[in-house]
């Protein structure tokens, strides 16, 4: 319990600080019981879920039904251990931290020192019973800015995924949500909340409620019918965000609700080496800007054939319709297809590669996780998708599971996730974008040391402009290295190095790097103290006079340096 208390409190303390610039630490490889082997829109099943969650039997199929790679994820399995009453665990906490920085806006000119006091209550709830399984982590933070008092306010950090069994082996209710903030104008390290003024941030909040039924027809097939209600809000808090060269903003507040109906049929173990899946998905959006009257609809059949225990052939054919209300309006109605292969090296080491036609273009999709010896693991993924930032926030809810501290991890690979609505490297835009994202993480764990290296590449190309805004293509690369070391059972340290580059058609090219050293110590049972030292620097090669469009008036090329100290205490109860 002592180690758990320290880990949880250290995580919360780091998140309470505006300068938190590294992913929340994972408690393991991402297969912590919640979401282990699960897949799909709330509840679309993987092979292990079909066997255990739906029927209580063993899966005799030589291939796993969860290998299709649907764009959905299930927070928890459907009751493999339903007979075990492990109960609820509720851990409340209260934290306070003091931040001091010499350049709150991280500008080359007009530097402003700032002192920020944060008060952060928190609660971590885990549940594992016959009727409820899930994790909820919520830690809102009230930040008081000593000099810019108008910046003071509450920021929300939240992750939660809960599966309720209403009728055993038949009717389920999936609840999930997430909230975080990011720098509106970009140019900061990608890993979450950086030290910046509050009027340079966007708060994103997303929720989803999905009831569904699940029916198994012996070893022949499994049927799932469901509905999902989604709600997403991206709020600039009535502040003026960065303006483009024509005086129009890159972003305006965006919110939507969505109604999604889905049906999925998957073949059972009687098909042996062959696994088939048919799906119908229809999502209609009611929202602002490009999402006013938008929709996504897909009908497809996907198959996989296990050539042997190491190699499977993948294929898909179907039809899709999409619509967005931007300028010009984006509409497509056409066939989709893909072919690919899955290489399985062991139960927890595999790589899947597909090439196909989706969203109106041909592209490659790849993901995988490979164990490199006992202590080292490699995660990777690459994909392309059309959509808005608000839609990506909703999609993230169905593409991730949570570890036992409430941190999001990839539902397929178990790798850490950089949330798109907490990625501050590229600026926020509310138009429809074609986004290419590639990421790779290698981690190594020892008894007292953990090392992690993450590489990220992202490209955004405008497809349809949100009326009343300006848009442009952007791209960025980043690398982050983190070393965590346990000095004693009650004291740990970490060192994080991050470097990123970004390219903008109008604002030119730039780069950003930071160094962060942290110390966490359990002063007495349940009370953790922290000290963080951060130094961050970014450059910009401005291609025009930014002073006309940048609210900070930083119109010159050059490098801006920011130094920050954060001291904090958190008591868990």
């Amino acid at each position: 319990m002592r180690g758990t208390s320290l880990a949880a409190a250290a995580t919360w303390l780091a998140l309470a600080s505006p300068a938190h610039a590294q992913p929340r630490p994972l408690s393991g490889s991402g297969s912590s019981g919640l979401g282990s082997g699960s897949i799909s829109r709330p509840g679309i099943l993987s092979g292990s879920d079909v066997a255990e969650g739906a029927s209580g039997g063993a899966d005799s199929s030589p291939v796993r039904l969860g290998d299709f790679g649907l764009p959905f994820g299930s927070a928890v399995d459907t009751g493999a251990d339903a007979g075990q009453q492990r109960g609820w665990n509720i851990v409340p906490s209260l934290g306070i931290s003091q931040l001091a920085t010499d350049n709150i806006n991280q500008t080359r000119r007009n530097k402003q020192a700032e002192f920020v006091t944060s008060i952060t209550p928190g609660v971590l709830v885990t549940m594992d019973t016959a009727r409820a399984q899930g994790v909820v982590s919520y830690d809102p933070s009230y930040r008081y800015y000593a000099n810019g008092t108008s910046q003071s306010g509450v920021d929300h950090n939240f992750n939660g995924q809960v599966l309720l069994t209403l009728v055993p082996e038949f009717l389920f209710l999936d609840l999930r949500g997430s909230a975080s903030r990011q720098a509106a104008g970009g140019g900061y390290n990608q890993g979450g909340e950086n030290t910046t003024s509050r009027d340079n941030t966007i708060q994103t909040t997303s929720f989803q409620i999905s009831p569904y039924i699940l029916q198994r027809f012996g070893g022949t097939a499994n049927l799932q019918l469901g509905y999902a209600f989604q709600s997403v809000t991206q709020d600039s808090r009535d502040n003026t965000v960065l303006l483009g060269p024509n005086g129009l903003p890159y972003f305006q507040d965006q919110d939507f609700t969505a109604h999604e109906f889905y049906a999925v049929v998957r073949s059972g173990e009687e098909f042996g080496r062959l696994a088939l899946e048919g799906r119908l998905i229809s999502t209609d959006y009611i929202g602002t800007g490009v999402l006013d009257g938008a929709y996504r609809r897909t009908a497809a059949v996907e198959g996989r054939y296990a050539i042997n225990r190491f190699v499977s052939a993948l294929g898909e054919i179907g039809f899709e319709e999409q619509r967005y209300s931007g300028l010009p309006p984006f509409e497509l109605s056409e066939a989709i297809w893909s072919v690919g292969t899955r290489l399985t090296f062991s139960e927890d080491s595999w790589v899947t590669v597909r090439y196909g036609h989706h969203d109106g273009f041909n592209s490659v999709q790849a993901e995988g996780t490979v164990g490199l010896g006992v202590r080292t693991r490699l995660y990777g993924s690459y994909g392309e998708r059309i959509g808005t930032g608000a839609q990506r926030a909703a999609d993230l809810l169905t593409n991730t599971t949570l570890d036992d501290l409430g941190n999001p991890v990839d539902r397929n690979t178990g790798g850490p996730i950089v949330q798109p609505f907490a990625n501050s490297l590229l600026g926020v835009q509310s138009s429809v974008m074609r986004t290419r994202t590639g990421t790779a993480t290698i981690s190594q764990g020892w008894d007292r040391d953990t090392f992690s290296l993450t590489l990220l590449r992202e490209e955004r190309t405008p497809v349809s402009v949100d009326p009343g805004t300006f848009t442009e293509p952007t791209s960025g690369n980043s690398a982050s290295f983190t070393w965590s070391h346990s000095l004693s059972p009650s004291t740990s340290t970490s060192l994080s190095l991050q470097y990123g580059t970004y390219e903008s058609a109008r604002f030119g090219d730039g780069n950003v790097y930071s160094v962060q050293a942290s110390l966490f110590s359990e002063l007495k049972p349940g009370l953790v103290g922290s000290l963080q030292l951060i130094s961050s620097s970014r450059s910009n090669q401005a291609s025009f006079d930014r002073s006309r469009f940048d609210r900070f008036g930083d119109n010159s090329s050059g490098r801006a340096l920011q130094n920050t100290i954060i001291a904090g205490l958190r008591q868990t109860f």
Side-chain angles (χ1 to χ4, degrees):
M1 289 298 297
R2 188 177 187 184
T4 301
S5 174
L6 178 60
T11 298
W12 276 322
L13 275 170
L15 286 170
S17 307
H20 180 64
Q22 65 190 51
R24 300 174 70 174
L26 299 177
S27 64
S29 64
S31 56
S32 58
L34 295 177
S36 177
S38 336
I39 184 173
S40 105
R41 162 65 73 218
I44 296 176
L45 299 175
S46 72
S48 59
D49 291 327
V50 171
E52 299 175 342
S55 68
D59 184 5
S60 59
S61 172
V63 292
R64 290 176 59 86
L65 300 178
D67 298 341
F68 286 102
L70 276 174
F72 304 124
S74 180
V76 294
D77 67 34
T78 56
D81 300 313
Q84 300 182 26
Q85 302 283 339
R86 284 188 285 269
W88 293 64
N89 186 29
I90 301 176
V91 184
S93 67
L94 179 63
I96 184 170
S97 66
Q98 181 64 56
L99 177 151
T101 181
D102 59 358
N103 188 2
I104 185 65
N105 296 318
Q106 205 173 79
T107 56
R108 185 169 179 262
R109 298 181 178 180
N110 304 322
K111 295 182 180 180
Q112 299 179 18
E114 186 59 272
F115 299 89
V116 182
T117 301
S118 298
I119 300 175
T120 309
V123 61
L124 175 67
V125 180
T126 61
M127 61 202 79
D128 190 357
T129 71
R131 295 285 185 172
Q133 300 164 325
V135 179
V136 177
S137 173
Y138 180 44
D139 49 328
S141 180
Y142 173 76
R143 293 185 171 97
Y144 176 77
Y145 289 71
N147 296 325
T149 56
S150 62
Q151 299 291 313
S152 301
V154 177
D155 295 315
H156 298 277
N157 295 291
F158 172 78
N159 275 311
Q161 295 185 356
V162 176
L163 182 65
L164 302 178
T165 301
L166 305 182
V167 179
E169 301 183 3
F170 179 72
L171 180 60
F172 304 89
L173 179 63
D174 186 281
L175 310 171
R176 58 185 67 198
S178 187
S180 188
R181 69 170 192 157
Q182 70 187 116
Y188 292 81
N189 283 307
Q190 92 279 1
E193 300 188 29
N194 294 267
T195 303
T196 183
S197 62
R198 201 164 182 268
D199 66 359
N200 185 34
T201 60
I202 304 294
Q203 175 81 57
T204 299
T205 305
S206 56
F207 294 97
Q208 177 177 285
I209 302 173
S210 177
Y212 65 92
I213 62 173
L214 180 65
Q215 182 64 52
R216 179 179 175 92
F217 301 95
T220 303
N222 306 277
L223 170 66
Q224 183 180 359
L225 297 174
Y227 162 76
F229 173 81
Q230 299 175 340
S231 176
V232 176
T233 300
Q234 288 191 306
D235 182 15
S236 61
R237 298 154 173 176
D238 299 323
N239 295 311
T240 302
V241 297
L242 190 66
L243 301 179
N246 56 2
L248 294 176
Y250 283 88
F251 173 85
Q252 57 186 0
D253 290 357
Q254 189 171 88
D255 63 82
F256 74 80
T257 58
H259 302 276
E260 178 169 289
F261 297 87
Y262 57 92
V264 177
V265 179
R266 286 184 168 176
S267 61
E269 57 268 23
E270 289 183 1
F271 285 75
R273 293 177 178 269
L274 177 65
L276 297 171
E277 176 180 273
R279 59 185 179 269
L280 297 172
I281 306 168
S282 178
T283 309
D284 288 88
Y285 298 90
I286 303 171
T288 58
V290 293
L291 294 177
D292 181 21
Y295 57 75
R296 292 175 177 171
R297 293 164 187 160
T298 303
V301 175
E302 190 170 356
R304 186 191 64 253
Y305 182 78
I307 298 173
N308 54 45
R309 60 181 298 186
F310 301 109
V311 181
S312 297
L314 309 175
E316 175 196 28
I317 189 168
F319 193 84
E320 71 172 345
E321 294 180 339
Q322 292 191 45
R323 180 185 184 275
Y324 294 95
S325 301
L327 298 173
F330 176 84
E331 293 189 37
L332 66 82
S333 180
E334 60 186 34
I336 59 175
W337 58 268
S338 69
V339 294
T341 186
R342 177 183 174 96
L343 305 178
T344 304
F345 309 109
S346 66
E347 183 178 355
D348 59 355
S349 292
W350 53 269
V351 175
T352 299
V353 180
R354 295 178 176 87
Y355 178 79
H357 186 85
H358 294 81
D359 291 341
F361 54 84
N362 295 342
S363 64
V364 174
Q365 178 182 341
E367 61 182 350
T369 175
V370 178
L372 306 175
V374 177
R375 299 182 180 274
T376 306
R377 178 157 292 274
L378 175 65
Y379 312 91
S381 65
Y382 173 83
E384 300 184 40
R385 189 70 191 269
I386 282 180
T388 69
Q391 282 180 308
R392 293 182 69 191
D395 291 343
L396 185 75
L397 292 180
T398 55
N399 286 335
T400 59
T401 62
L402 301 180
D403 70 6
D404 53 11
L405 289 180
N407 305 310
V409 294
D410 187 280
R411 64 172 174 80
N412 283 336
T413 67
I417 292 290
V418 177
Q419 297 171 316
F421 51 86
N423 184 343
S424 296
L425 183 61
L426 303 181
V428 183
Q429 301 186 51
S430 51
S431 296
V432 182
M433 312 290 282
R434 175 178 174 179
T435 303
R436 303 175 179 88
T437 304
T439 182
T441 298
I442 185 169
S443 63
Q444 186 177 79
W446 296 81
D447 293 339
R448 299 176 62 182
D449 297 273
T450 302
F451 303 91
S452 177
L453 174 64
T454 297
L455 305 177
L456 174 70
R457 168 69 179 177
E458 184 165 311
E459 300 177 8
R460 302 177 187 173
T461 304
V463 172
S464 183
V465 181
D466 186 10
T469 69
F470 177 80
T471 190
E472 66 172 5
T474 58
S475 61
N477 305 285
S478 69
S480 61
F481 172 78
T482 300
W483 169 38
S484 299
H485 176 69
S486 176
L487 296 173
S488 71
S490 61
T491 304
S492 64
T493 63
S494 69
L495 176 66
S496 177
L497 309 175
Q498 296 196 28
Y499 178 79
T501 64
Y502 50 91
E503 301 94 36
S504 166
R506 288 286 182 176
F507 294 117
D509 301 342
N511 62 70
V512 57
Y513 66 80
S514 71
V515 180
Q516 175 172 324
S518 304
L519 174 67
F520 300 97
S521 182
E522 189 174 24
L523 305 178
K524 64 178 184 178
L527 179 64
V528 175
S530 69
L531 179 64
Q532 297 172 282
L533 307 177
I534 307 106
S535 181
S536 182
S537 176
R538 65 173 178 172
S539 70
N540 186 79
Q541 305 300 321
S543 58
F544 70 102
D545 185 2
R546 291 188 58 168
S547 63
R548 296 165 51 204
F549 315 109
D550 191 335
R551 61 184 174 280
F552 301 132
D554 193 15
N555 64 334
S556 60
S557 299
R559 181 167 291 280
L561 179 65
Q562 178 190 70
N563 297 297
T564 304
I565 300 176
I566 308 172
L569 290 172
R570 176 167 288 276
Q571 176 71 56
T572 57
F573 305 97

